[in-house]
Structures are given as C-alpha cells and as structure tokens.
C-alpha cells in the first residue's frame, strides 16, 4: 500500500462498558482488512473509554467502514467518533517513542484532588506527558471504615526532565505539606525485574529500637536512647555509638532477650509484604545494626532468607557488654547487600533496600531502589524514595503490584 493510498483514523468510543464491545468493533475493522496501529482502553465504574487507531486504504473503502462502525456502535449502545490523522502527525507520534519513560507512584491513606493536582502540576512544569494512569489499590468503601486504609495510583509518564533536582525538591515539599508519598522511578528493565529486598530491622521491620528496650530493662534507658538518636540522625559515628551502648548493657540477663523477642512489635504491613515477596520469588534479607538474636527470631516469623546483624557476647547467661565479630554499620550493610546479590546472581539494579536511619543510607544509595521508610528527615532528603503514609506493604505498590495480585495468595 503506497503512502498516498493510506488513510489513518482514530476511533474514539465511550459509553457503558459491557462484554463484546471490542470484539464487535474489531470484527467490523477485520471485514475491511484494517491494520490496527494502536489501541488503548480504560474503564472507570463501568464507563468505557476506548481508542483504536487504524489504517485502511484511502478513498472508496473509508466511507463504508465508518458507516458500519457507526451502526455497530448504535447496536452496542455506545458513542462512536472518528478523528482523521495525517501521515505526518502519525510519524511524529512514532518518533516520540524514543523519549525517556518514568513511573510515578502517589501513595497515601486517601488521595485528595489537591494532592494529585500538586503532583501533576510539577510534572506539567517539567513538560512531562502522562501516558497512562492506573489505580493499584482496590476500591475503598465510603460506608465501611477500613482498619488499614491505603490508596495508590501509578502514572506512566514520558519526556525529557528539564530540572530533576528542582522536581525532586518540589515532590518532597508536596510530600511534607500534603501528607502524601511520591515515588519517582525510571521505567527500565530493572524496575520491572527486582529480585532482592533488604531490610533494616529496628524501626523498619519492627516498631522499636531493641537496644533501647534492653537499656530500659537494664536501667540505662535515657543514656542509651540519647546515643541511639544521635547515631540515627547522623550526628555520631555509628561504630562509636554502638560500643558505648553495648558497654551500658553489661550484666543484663539472657532471659530478658527471649522475653523481648517474643513481644517484638512487627510493623504494620510486614506480614502482607513478606507473603507477597515469597510468593513471587523474591529473596529477602535483614541487614541490621541491631542483633542477630532478634534477627533470627524475625527470620522464622517472616520467612526471611538472610540475616546479617551484630552478635552479642553472652557469658554465664549474661551480656558482657561486648560483641563478637565485626560491627554491622552502614558500610557493612552495603557490602552484605552486594554480596547477597552476587551470590544469587542478581544485578545490583535489581535490588531494593528499605531503612530509616543514617546508617542505612549506604545500602539505600547502592540498591537499584532505595526506600526511606518512616525515616528521619535527613534520611528522607538523601534517599531516592520514601514511604511515610502507609505500612511496609506500600513497597509492593512501588513494584507495580495491584491489590488483586497481592491478596490472591
């Protein structure tokens, strides 16, 4: 078919969705040997929006196909419109396929129009085009109150970012002021093939700092908590802070460790997240500046593959205030992440790291996707992505999973 003999038409369909709409329309197109150049569909509350860009021979063949499509639309009870597309316009659209593509996730307990408006305004200012929008969370009832409300939409966008630093800063400001999480990822092969997820333990997988709890039981809670806070905020070298805190625990009974372990407050959404990761074949790891005693307990509870943390020295049933082996600090966490990835044959860009403190930043920055989870302000500012409005299962939405993929298990 020569170029001058081609005619390109965009078929736009709207109305109540029902089985057989696409089948009926494409059957008409098939009768005229039409070539489908593009097709897309969205369905919101049984309201259909369907577009089919097709090519047919120009001239006498065009009018009958339009007439038959209109008749089929009437028969199906839907509205049908036609938009002619020039060859030049179509070829211009083809060339835009080479533009960089990104995925933006917007997460919160509920999503308000002002949050979406603020995020999409930033994208517009950067001249990014929204190609598609997908809701990843199930529809929520407005009558029945949910125990764990969550909402997430995923935007697929394309274009050339003019000022990434400014865009990132703007997203962070919106996140702070409007209580919403915004994740921005390059849409590449690695994003769709993550295989390893590594977690910090204290204040990430569990909602406490174990060393602080042990300190309370040893009667040195205030002293240890002050050191912990300074270390997590990056104000104190982690190794030195660890040694200081360990020394204050000297003499604590081993029995105390068991009682703390069986009462660990596991973070909301952790069980749901781990079930899904295991079901879909991900490897998981705890990389913690805390203690292996508690990491091993969580490993059994959550089905985690690897645990690397600090080993307590226990003599005659009591803590000596010392540790065995190397201190697992921020740099060591990053080393373990890299080592596990190599052992499993996983590219570093296929890895995810989740943590909340300054000592998590090396692994957050090394991983293909670093997520600051309910993190300290300095960590959120340095991490690529953060989650503060949802539980740990919010990680699944950043991987592109819909609730129906998660809850089918």
């Amino acid at each position: 078919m020569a170029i001058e003999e081609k005619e390109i038409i965009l078929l736009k369909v709207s109305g109540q969705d029902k089985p057989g709409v696409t089948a009926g329309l494409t059957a008409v197109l098939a009768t005229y040997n039409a070539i489908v150049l593009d097709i897309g569909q969205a369905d919101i509350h049984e309201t259909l929006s369907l577009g089919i860009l097709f090519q047919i021979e120009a001239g006498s063949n065009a009018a009958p196909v339009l007439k038959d499509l209109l008749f089929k639309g009437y028969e199906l009870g839907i509205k049908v419109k036609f938009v002619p597309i020039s060859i030049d316009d179509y070829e211009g659209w083809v060339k835009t396929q080479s533009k960089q593509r990104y995925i933006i996730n917007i997460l919160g307990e509920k999503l308000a129009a002002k949050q979406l408006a603020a995020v999409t305004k930033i994208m517009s200012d950067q001249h990014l085009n929204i190609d598609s929008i997908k809701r990843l969370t199930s529809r929520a009832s407005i009558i029945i109150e949910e125990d764990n409300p969550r909402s997430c939409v995923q935007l697929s966008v394309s274009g050339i970012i003019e000022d990434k630093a400014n865009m990132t800063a703007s997203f962070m400001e919106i996140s702070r002021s409007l209580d919403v999480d915004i994740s921005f990822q390059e849409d590449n092969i690695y994003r769709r093939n993550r295989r390893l997820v590594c977690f910090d333990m204290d204040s990430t997988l569990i909602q406490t700092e174990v060393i602080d709890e042990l300190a309370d039981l040893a009667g040195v809670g205030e002293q240890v908590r002050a050191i912990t806070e300074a270390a997590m905020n990056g104000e104190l070298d982690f190794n030195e802070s660890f040694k200081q805190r360990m020394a204050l625990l000297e003499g604590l009974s081993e029995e105390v460790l068991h009682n703390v372990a069986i009462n660990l407050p596991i973070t909301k959404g952790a069980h749901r997240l781990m079930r899904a990761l295991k079901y879909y074949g991900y490897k998981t790891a705890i990389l913690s500046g805390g203690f292996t005693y508690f990491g091993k307990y969580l490993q059994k509870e959550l089905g985690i593959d690897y645990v690397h943390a600090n080993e307590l020295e226990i003599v005659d049933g009591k803590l000596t205030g010392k540790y065995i082996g190397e201190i697992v600090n921020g740099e060591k966490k990053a080393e373990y992440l890299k080592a596990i990835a190599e052992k499993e044959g996983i590219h570093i860009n296929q890895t995810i790291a989740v943590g909340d403190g300054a000592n998590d930043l090396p692994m957050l920055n090394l991983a293909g996707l670093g997520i600051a989870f309910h993190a300290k302000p300095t960590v959120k500012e340095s991490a690529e992505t953060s989650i503060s409005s949802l539980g740990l299962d919010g990680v699944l939405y950043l991987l592109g999973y819909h609730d129906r993929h998660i809850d089918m298990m």
Side-chain angles (χ1 to χ4, degrees):
M1 197 186 301
I3 291 178
E4 61 271 12
E5 296 174 343
K6 296 179 180 179
E7 188 161 351
I8 301 173
I9 299 171
L10 173 61
L11 168 63
K12 301 172 71 174
V13 180
S14 61
Q16 184 177 1
D17 195 13
K18 64 188 73 172
V21 171
T22 304
L25 295 172
T26 52
V28 172
L29 292 174
T31 302
Y32 292 90
N33 296 319
I35 301 299
V36 175
L37 300 173
D38 197 9
I39 185 168
Q41 176 176 315
D43 185 356
I44 301 178
H45 288 272
E46 297 184 352
T47 299
L48 172 70
S49 178
L50 169 66
I52 303 176
L53 187 67
F54 65 92
Q55 171 190 306
I56 58 170
E57 292 184 13
S60 60
N61 212 28
V65 68
L66 303 187
K67 176 183 175 182
D68 287 353
L69 287 169
L70 283 169
F71 181 78
K72 179 57 70 173
Y74 176 80
E75 183 180 283
L76 294 169
I78 55 175
K79 294 181 179 179
V80 175
K81 294 183 179 179
F82 306 104
V83 178
I85 305 295
S86 70
I87 297 294
D88 288 342
D89 285 345
Y90 175 76
E91 289 301 314
W93 171 79
V94 169
K95 292 177 182 177
T96 64
Q97 293 179 120
S98 60
K99 287 185 178 179
Q100 185 64 57
R101 296 183 181 277
Y102 305 93
I103 295 293
I104 297 177
N105 291 89
I106 308 172
L107 307 89
E109 290 191 348
K110 292 183 179 180
L111 294 183
K114 62 181 179 181
Q115 295 166 327
L116 295 174
V119 174
T120 52
K121 174 63 164 58
I122 298 302
M123 293 161 52
S124 176
D125 291 344
Q126 291 288 332
H127 299 104
L128 294 175
N129 185 67
I130 301 175
D131 298 322
S132 66
I133 301 176
K134 183 193 304 182
R135 175 179 47 80
L136 297 182
T137 44
S138 299
R139 297 185 182 95
S141 171
I142 59 175
I143 299 174
I144 302 172
E145 186 174 346
E146 295 187 40
D147 294 331
N148 185 20
R150 50 185 178 263
S151 185
C152 176
V153 293
Q154 176 180 288
L155 285 66
S156 176
V157 305
S158 60
I160 299 174
I161 300 174
E162 297 181 355
D163 189 342
K164 186 175 181 179
N166 178 265
M167 184 180 72
T168 301
S170 298
F171 281 158
M172 289 186 65
E173 177 56 35
I174 292 169
S175 180
R176 282 193 295 265
S177 61
L178 298 182
D179 190 26
V180 65
D181 294 321
I182 307 162
S183 166
F184 182 84
Q185 303 177 60
E186 185 176 339
D187 189 13
N188 55 31
I189 190 65
Y190 297 116
R191 186 195 73 82
R192 285 167 269 139
N193 289 279
R194 310 288 192 198
R195 304 312 316 152
L196 169 66
V197 190
C198 299
F199 299 90
D200 175 45
M201 181 170 64
D202 298 60
S203 296
T204 300
L205 277 178
I206 55 176
Q207 294 178 304
T208 187
E209 291 286 334
V210 170
I211 198 167
D212 291 346
E213 289 199 28
L214 297 179
D216 286 337
L217 295 169
V220 291
E222 289 188 14
Q223 295 167 262
V224 167
R225 196 166 279 107
I227 297 172
T228 299
E229 186 67 19
M232 291 300 98
N233 286 327
E235 301 166 5
L236 186 64
D237 173 74
F238 181 83
N239 286 14
E240 182 58 34
S241 73
F242 181 77
K243 293 175 183 177
Q244 290 180 20
R245 289 177 291 174
M246 283 297 302
L248 291 169
L249 298 180
E250 182 181 359
L252 189 64
S253 171
E254 184 179 4
E255 293 179 5
V256 171
L257 304 183
H258 175 73
N259 292 331
V260 171
I262 62 176
N263 290 294
L264 288 175
I266 296 176
T267 300
K268 180 176 69 174
H271 283 96
R272 185 173 186 248
L273 169 62
M274 293 304 176
R275 282 196 303 270
L277 292 177
K278 187 173 184 179
Y279 182 85
Y280 288 110
Y282 288 80
K283 292 294 182 180
T284 54
I286 291 175
L287 306 181
S288 173
F291 305 114
T292 54
Y293 187 98
F294 306 99
K296 296 289 186 182
Y297 176 84
L298 286 175
Q299 182 176 32
K300 293 179 180 178
E301 176 71 17
L302 298 173
I304 291 171
D305 297 297
Y306 295 90
V307 174
H308 292 289
N310 295 296
E311 188 75 32
L312 292 165
E313 183 180 75
I314 302 173
V315 177
D316 296 330
K318 292 185 178 181
L319 302 190
T320 66
K322 299 178 182 179
Y323 55 92
I324 300 171
E326 292 184 79
I327 295 175
V328 179
N329 54 21
E331 289 69 29
K332 199 66 181 175
K333 289 185 181 187
E335 288 178 23
Y336 280 130
L337 185 154
K338 184 177 180 181
I340 295 171
E342 289 178 353
K343 179 180 178 181
E344 295 291 344
I346 296 170
H347 193 283
I348 197 67
N349 286 338
Q350 293 177 277
T351 66
I352 299 172
V354 186
D356 73 296
N359 66 321
D360 294 313
L361 282 173
M363 73 172 182
L364 297 185
N365 292 330
L366 174 65
L369 175 62
I371 303 172
F373 180 74
H374 290 259
K376 312 298 184 291
T378 53
V379 180
K380 288 181 68 173
E381 290 174 5
S382 301
E384 178 183 6
T385 299
S386 67
I387 295 178
S388 298
S389 61
L390 301 182
L392 263 178
D393 51 345
V395 171
L396 293 168
Y397 304 124
L398 303 189
L399 297 177
Y401 289 104
H402 189 284
D403 275 345
R404 64 175 175 270
H405 303 136
I406 302 167
D407 298 326
M408 65 178 285
M409 301 169 294

